Amino acid sequence: MAHSLSDEELYNLARKARRHIIEMVHSARSGHPGGSLSIIDILIVLYFRELNVSPSNPDDPHRDRLILSKGHASPGLYAALALKGFIPEDSLKGFRKLASKLEGHVHYGIPGVEASTGSLGQGLGIGVGLALASRLDSLDNHIFVILGDGEIEEGSVWESLMAGHKFRLGNLIAILDRNGVQLDGFTEDIMPMMDIRSKVESFGWNVLEIDGHSVEEITAAIESAKRQRDIPTFIIARTVKGKGVSYMENNPKYHGSPPESEEMYQKALSEIGDA
Amino acid sequence: MISESLRENYGEELVRIGEKDRDVVVLDADLSSSTKTGLFGQKFPDRFFNMGISEQSMVSTSAGLALGGKKVFVSTFAVFLTRTYEQIRQSVCYNNINVKFVVTHAGITVGEDGATHQIVEDVGIMSGLPNMKVIVPVDSVETRAVIRFLHEELKTPSYTRLTREKFPVLNDPGYEFKLGRSVTMRDGSDLTIIANGAMVAFSLKAAEELKNKGIDTRVINMSSIKPIDREAIVKAARETGKIVTAEEHSIYNGLGSRVAEVTSEYCPVPVRRIGMRDTFGKSGGAWELFDYFHLGVHDIAKISEDVFRGGDIA
């Protein structure tokens, strides 16, 4: 896909998406802002620059597929899908509410969503299966899976890393949201992962490391991963949990809590700024 | 009566549908020579994925293949699939996609491998999942008919329970499986035994013993546990007034529980459940274990007679 939007325009879209994320969890009085804010720049680059997907032809068999394995970051995905035109921006108000399709965790059945996720450690396996199906059908699309760094404490992720290598899935690209924070605290205190890069490399994957908030670096890494046709690629995106809202940044509390007052809510929106 | 392997017939039927349909893919977790999916693997190596001893990844990968438009068969031993309950729940059942779990080595007929491998809770675990269908074929003929049905008609999740041991062939070659429909193997008016799997052949023999005592026994093969044949259960309750259930599974959450749910809601009659009574299995010969756990022909006959006479022995 051509780079029709400038980096500046993408940063602006990310700002819009951040506002949506805060509005959604505020309106729902619940949800997961921290890990949504940490991946939003990646999601915006994917949807507006790298993914071959179209709201007017959502079932195109040749489309790229994105699985958000860390399904609690649903506000981030829903915001990106709304900005892209898969769902009305107005519908985001329904997040987590009974009358809405916008389930608390990512829900298959929402236009643009490729699989339900929420319970962790399942998305990479789904990605392996989609990549195998694409190969059987001789498609030249790509399968993207976004993982959380707390999530990779699940053993099933490592099972799927083995499978990705075994089947030499060059059409599979995993992106790790390396924000260092999980629900109960900092990842290295809860369960030290140590050198993720060398672990994943030893599983036979092509590993790249980038700043997950730099549109330029995200783009370059994905372009490079797409050129790698022999083995799957694992992009470690260094991110800040809660990025863009000072009191949420690096604060485990905002893994799964909305702003606790109207004042905090307004503060979050003003820090993000107008888009 | 001849006996045939259910899993071998499964493997052969897989090859047959694989020849007709390029969208059929099969996954296994290092047990393909036992589950017999290896037959498919030899014939269609590009559509067979041996995931190694990684059941969780196998199930989420199966979901991805189904989301990518494939018709996916997934096999391992019944006991090992249950460790992936949550992958089955979220990635397969919640997405409501075309993944067919066909497991082998269920129940106590695993025999010598013993309690660790003899799962008697799986039907309950799987039946609780929304969108999941649960089938326990009675013989090799029904196994093939079920596999054809899964391939041709069902596009949503299912769990089919096969065994290690060969079972007596009870159905004619032309038999066709219908989901949610039971088969009356023998008619009778005094009492009904509703059974599935290995217990159907035993129940038919028990019915012969009961006949000698003047008790006219109906025997139903209830291979479709979910959905269950409510009509046949209510009819049996109305017409025979008493029901015994028999299964190679725990009396909790299996066939007996489902039958009792139906009768208590629609036609309350005495129901006695024969099955594993809140216990693990044991190493031993497959068929001697039935007597050991009081699931044999004589046990079925004795309990049925007691129910018929209005007894209340547990």
Side-chain angles (χ1 to χ4, degrees), chain B residues 221-297:
Chain B
N221 170 25
M222 189 67 72
S223 45
S224 178
I225 295 197
K226 188 184 170 200
I228 203 159
D229 189 348
R230 193 173 84 192
E231 219 172 287
I233 296 169
V234 172
K235 188 164 178 277
R238 288 215 175 102
E239 292 176 2
T240 71
K242 284 155 184 173
I243 291 176
V244 170
T245 64
E247 61 197 306
E248 187 194 342
H249 185 273
S250 172
I251 56 167
Y252 298 139
N253 309 321
L255 173 66
S257 295
R258 296 299 317 276
V259 168
E261 282 165 21
V262 171
T263 56
S264 59
E265 282 193 50
Y266 297 95
C267 186
V269 294
V271 173
R272 190 82 58 86
R273 295 167 299 159
I274 299 173
M276 295 291 278
R277 304 191 75 84
D278 199 21
T279 180
F280 286 102
K282 197 186 173 318
S283 277
W287 300 106
E288 63 183 359
L289 285 168
F290 282 87
D291 290 328
Y292 181 85
F293 287 109
H294 306 291
L295 309 174
V297 173

Side-chain angles (χ1 to χ4, degrees), chain B:
Chain B
M1 193 175 291
I2 61 154
S3 287
E4 284 185 0
S5 161
L6 280 58
R7 54 195 166 110
E8 273 171 28
N9 278 273
Y10 163 52
E12 288 165 12
E13 197 61 38
L14 266 185
V15 171
R16 197 159 308 168
I17 61 175
E19 276 164 355
K20 287 189 295 196
D21 186 346
R22 286 199 49 80
D23 280 335
V24 173
V25 300
V26 179
L27 293 85
D28 205 304
D30 192 42
L31 289 170
S32 63
S33 57
S34 299
T35 63
K36 301 301 174 191
T37 60
L39 298 173
F40 183 96
Q42 284 156 21
K43 198 84 193 272
F44 311 107
D46 58 326
R47 289 188 270 146
F48 174 75
F49 305 106
N50 195 327
M51 302 301 293
I53 309 169
S54 307
E55 292 83 6
Q56 298 181 79
S57 176
M58 173 171 72
V59 172
S60 27
T61 299
S62 75
L65 279 157
L67 288 163
K70 300 300 166 192
K71 300 165 188 173
V72 190
F73 285 82
V74 178
S75 289
T76 178
F77 289 0
V79 67
F80 304 138
L81 188 71
T82 57
R83 75 192 292 146
T84 73
Y85 174 78
E86 226 202 334
Q87 275 81 11
I88 299 171
R89 178 180 182 274
Q90 175 175 289
S91 290
V92 176
C93 287
Y94 186 46
N95 287 326
N96 199 19
I97 49 179
N98 198 351
V99 177
K100 308 142 190 324
F101 299 102
V102 181
V103 297
T104 66
H105 296 65
I108 58 172
T109 39
V110 175
E112 290 80 357
D113 274 351
T116 57
H117 284 49
Q118 293 166 347
I119 192 160
V120 294
E121 320 89 72
D122 52 322
V123 167
I125 292 167
M126 297 300 160
S127 296
L129 288 162
N131 294 333
M132 184 67 108
K133 308 288 188 286
V134 179
I135 304 163
V136 182
V138 72
D139 64 6
S140 56
V141 174
E142 187 166 47
T143 298
R144 282 185 185 261
V146 167
I147 300 307
R148 283 195 297 273
F149 160 79
L150 294 178
H151 172 241
E152 286 161 21
E153 293 183 44
L154 197 65
K155 295 185 170 63
T156 54
S158 61
Y159 179 80
T160 301
R161 186 190 207 230
L162 307 180
T163 50
R164 173 176 176 271
E165 276 301 301
K166 294 177 177 177
F167 282 4
V169 181
L170 302 178
N171 285 296
D172 296 328
Y175 171 81
E176 276 185 39
F177 173 79
K178 282 220 174 71
L179 189 68
R181 187 201 64 180
S182 64
V183 178
T184 301
M185 309 297 285
R186 172 196 173 109
D187 209 0
S189 56
D190 293 335
L191 169 90
T192 302
I193 303 176
I194 301 176
N196 62 20
M199 300 298 275
V200 176
F202 285 0
S203 299
L204 287 168
K205 284 186 186 156
E208 282 301 307
E209 285 190 16
L210 291 164
K211 186 182 166 195
N212 297 334
K213 297 190 172 178
I215 303 169
D216 185 23
T217 307
R218 182 179 303 181
V219 177
I220 292 175
N221 170 25
M222 189 67 72
S223 45
S224 178
I225 295 197
K226 188 184 170 200
I228 203 159
D229 189 348
R230 193 173 84 192
E231 219 172 287
I233 296 169
V234 172
K235 188 164 178 277
R238 288 215 175 102
E239 292 176 2
T240 71
K242 284 155 184 173
I243 291 176
V244 170
T245 64
E247 61 197 306
E248 187 194 342
H249 185 273
S250 172
I251 56 167
Y252 298 139
N253 309 321
L255 173 66
S257 295
R258 296 299 317 276
V259 168
E261 282 165 21
V262 171
T263 56
S264 59
E265 282 193 50
Y266 297 95
C267 186
V269 294
V271 173
R272 190 82 58 86
R273 295 167 299 159
I274 299 173
M276 295 291 278
R277 304 191 75 84
D278 199 21
T279 180
F280 286 102
K282 197 186 173 318
S283 277
W287 300 106
E288 63 183 359
L289 285 168
F290 282 87
D291 290 328
Y292 181 85
F293 287 109
H294 306 291
L295 309 174
V297 173
H298 302 303
D299 299 297
I300 298 171
K302 201 175 88 190
I303 289 166
S304 298
E305 184 181 352
D306 183 58
V307 170
F308 173 71
R309 303 201 189 286
D312 58 359
I313 303 161

Side-chain angles (χ1 to χ4, degrees), chain A residues 100-111:
Chain A
S100 167
K101 263 193 186 179
L102 301 187
E103 277 276 316
H105 289 78
V106 171
H107 172 68
Y108 186 49
I110 297 169

Side-chain angles (χ1 to χ4, degrees), chain A residues 38-263:
Chain A
S38 63
I39 61 163
I40 200 63
D41 300 302
I42 295 164
L43 284 170
I44 292 298
V45 172
L46 281 167
Y47 277 100
F48 289 90
R49 189 171 271 176
E50 296 295 340
L51 287 179
N52 174 28
V53 293
S54 162
S56 59
N57 192 9
D59 298 323
D60 180 1
H62 296 275
R63 72 191 184 277
D64 293 323
R65 310 267 194 145
L66 169 72
I67 304 294
L68 181 61
S69 191
K70 43 171 289 181
H72 54 275
S74 51
L77 181 63
Y78 296 165
L81 290 175
L83 292 172
K84 183 73 179 175
F86 279 99
I87 55 175
E89 274 186 76
D90 190 40
S91 71
L92 297 177
K93 287 188 297 214
F95 178 55
R96 289 182 165 241
K97 293 180 182 135
L98 191 56
S100 167
K101 263 193 186 179
L102 301 187
E103 277 276 316
H105 289 78
V106 171
H107 172 68
Y108 186 49
I110 297 169
V113 169
E114 299 286 1
S116 294
T117 50
S119 170
L120 297 172
Q122 304 189 26
L124 190 58
I126 292 175
V128 167
L130 282 166
L132 288 170
S134 284
R135 176 185 291 173
L136 286 173
D137 291 340
S138 306
L139 302 177
D140 62 357
N141 63 345
H142 286 88
I143 314 299
F144 294 85
V145 179
I146 299 180
L147 300 156
D149 57 352
E151 174 177 20
I152 64 171
E153 291 160 17
E154 293 278 9
S156 55
V157 172
W158 301 89
E159 291 184 3
S160 297
L161 284 169
M162 287 191 285
H165 163 74
K166 170 179 174 174
F167 298 114
R168 306 195 72 78
L169 298 172
N171 54 352
L172 178 61
I173 301 169
I175 303 174
L176 180 73
D177 178 23
R178 183 58 168 138
N179 61 38
V181 178
Q182 59 191 110
L183 192 148
D184 265 347
F186 295 96
T187 54
E188 297 316 285
D189 297 329
I190 304 299
M191 186 52 70
M193 295 308 294
M194 298 177 285
D195 185 354
I196 294 171
R197 177 179 194 127
S198 65
K199 282 183 177 168
V200 177
E201 272 174 349
S202 75
F203 275 65
W205 286 55
N206 171 41
V207 181
L208 306 170
E209 257 186 286
I210 57 162
D211 173 353
H213 298 301
S214 158
V215 160
E216 205 178 323
E217 288 192 30
I218 298 164
T219 304
I222 293 171
E223 294 289 332
S224 157
K226 282 180 176 176
R227 287 191 296 272
Q228 172 60 262
R229 298 304 295 188
D230 303 325
I231 55 171
T233 293
F234 192 94
I235 301 171
I236 300 172
R238 289 184 307 272
T239 58
V240 175
K241 192 137 181 171
K243 174 76 173 177
V245 179
S246 59
Y247 62 87
M248 289 187 175
E249 288 191 1
N250 279 312
N251 186 349
K253 181 179 171 189
Y254 293 98
H255 166 85
S257 303
E260 47 275 87
S261 65
E262 183 64 26
E263 194 188 1

